[in-house]
Amino acid sequence: MLPTKPISAAIHPQSTAASIKARLADVHHAIVSCERCPRLRDYCRAIAIEKRRAYREDTYWGRPVPGFGDPDARLLILGLAPAAHGANRTGRVFTGDGVGGSGDFLMRALHRNGFANISTSQRIDDGLTLTDAYIAAAVRCAPPQNKPLPEEITRCLDHLDAEVAQLRRVRVVVALGKIGFDAWFQLLRRRGVTPSPRPQFGHAVVCRMKGADVPIVIGCYHPSRQNTNTGKLTPAMMAGVFKKAKVLIAD
Ligand code: SF4
C-alpha cells in the first residue's frame, strides 16, 4: 500500500487472489532471470560451482532469489541479500545458512509471533509457510563479503518496487540492518515520499510517515551471526520487534 504507485489496487481494482498470484509469479520470473549485475551474477555462479564442503552433494540454486511469503501480508520483512551458501544454495530467502544461522534466528521470532508455522528455515522442502508476512531482500544476488555496491542496490530496487506493488496490504515494514532500511527509503523517495528529517537506522526505531497509506517502518539489527553471536541482537530483541509490528498492524 504505497501512495504514488498503488499499482494493484488502483490500476487493477478487480484484482483477485489468483490474478495477484499470477502477477507476483511474473515478477519472480523477472527476478530469477535477471542478469543486470555482472559482478554479482559471476560471483553467485562461481559459488554454486565451488560449493562449501558441507553442501558438496547439493545442487546450488545460483540465481537471483525472489521474495517469499503471503501475498496478502500486512508485514513486509526486508533483508539485505541472499547468503552465498544459504539462499544462493536453496533458492529461498533466509533459508539454509546453517543451524542457528540468520534464517533460524528470524524464523524463531516470526514463529513466536504467529507469522511462521515453524521456527527454523533450513530446507526449501521443510513445509515453512508464512501468514500475514512476506520476506524480500534489497539485493537478490549474493554479494561478495555480503557487501553490495551502491549501484547494485539501486539497480535491484526495480525488483523490490515491482514485488511490493503486488503486496497491496502491507502496513508495517521491518527493515533488517541499515542497508535494508536505507533501500526502503530509497524506494519511498522514488515514489515521492521524502520524510524530513531523513529517518536514521536504529534497532526498534519506529518511523511513521505522513500519509495514511504509507507503511510504518521498524528498524531491526540484521540477524547475521556477527550480531547474534556477540549478543548485539538477542532472540528476545528480535521477537520484540515483531511483537511491536503485530501491535502496529492491528492499530
Ligand atoms: S542483484 Fe538484482 S538487479 Fe543485480 S543481477 Fe541480481 S537480481 Fe538483477
Side-chain angles (χ1 to χ4, degrees):
M1 282 205 315
L2 287 169
T4 59
K5 205 177 173 189
I7 293 174
S8 42
I11 301 179
H12 305 287
Q14 74 286 26
S15 286
T16 61
S19 63
I20 291 169
K21 212 171 161 185
R23 287 199 297 274
L24 208 45
D26 288 344
V27 172
H28 287 183
H29 177 73
I31 293 171
V32 166
S33 53
C34 182
E35 296 283 341
R36 293 167 67 190
C37 305
R39 184 184 84 107
L40 299 186
R41 297 304 314 120
D42 288 350
Y43 179 71
C44 291
R45 284 195 191 94
I47 291 288
I49 292 167
E50 288 162 15
K51 303 183 182 180
R52 179 174 280 170
R53 184 191 293 250
Y55 306 127
R56 65 178 179 273
E57 302 301 328
D58 290 12
T59 300
Y60 274 52
W61 172 253
R63 291 186 277 168
V65 180
F68 168 74
D70 181 355
D72 277 334
R74 291 177 297 173
L75 170 66
L76 172 67
I77 299 139
L78 186 60
L80 162 58
H85 300 279
N88 184 56
R89 177 174 60 90
T90 63
R92 192 176 73 190
V93 68
F94 277 101
T95 300
D97 56 353
V99 175
S102 61
D104 282 359
F105 205 90
L106 171 63
M107 225 45 67
R108 180 155 51 150
L110 291 176
H111 182 251
R112 256 174 86 170
N113 284 284
F115 292 112
N117 66 330
I118 59 175
S119 59
T120 57
S121 183
Q122 283 302 318
R123 298 190 334 268
I124 197 158
D125 60 351
D126 57 6
L128 170 67
T129 57
L130 301 182
T131 301
D132 212 6
Y134 192 93
I135 308 175
V139 174
R140 310 310 177 110
C141 293
Q145 283 89 46
N146 284 324
K147 285 184 183 147
L149 301 174
E151 59 268 31
E152 291 163 347
I153 296 172
T154 299
R155 226 174 271 142
C156 213
L157 218 53
D158 288 346
H159 292 313
L160 182 63
D161 200 353
E163 200 166 31
V164 166
Q166 305 307 328
L167 306 175
R168 300 175 307 156
R169 299 185 70 219
V170 172
R171 297 192 64 187
V172 173
V173 177
V174 170
L176 302 177
K178 186 175 183 322
I179 291 179
F181 184 88
D182 288 346
W184 180 256
F185 283 99
Q186 196 179 339
L187 177 62
L188 285 188
R189 279 199 300 284
R190 273 191 180 191
R191 295 184 176 199
V193 179
T194 52
S196 179
R198 188 176 170 170
Q200 297 298 312
F201 175 72
H203 183 77
V205 165
V206 176
C207 309
R208 296 172 190 267
M209 271 67 63
K210 283 184 191 151
D213 53 356
V214 183
I216 296 167
V217 179
I218 309 176
C220 179
Y221 291 143
H222 194 281
S224 53
R225 287 188 194 265
Q226 68 186 33
N227 286 336
T228 58
N229 287 350
T230 58
K232 182 174 180 181
L233 179 65
T234 64
M237 285 166 72
M238 188 147 215
V241 164
F242 290 112
K243 189 174 177 187
K244 189 179 282 190
K246 217 169 160 182
V247 170
L248 292 171
I249 283 168
D251 262 0

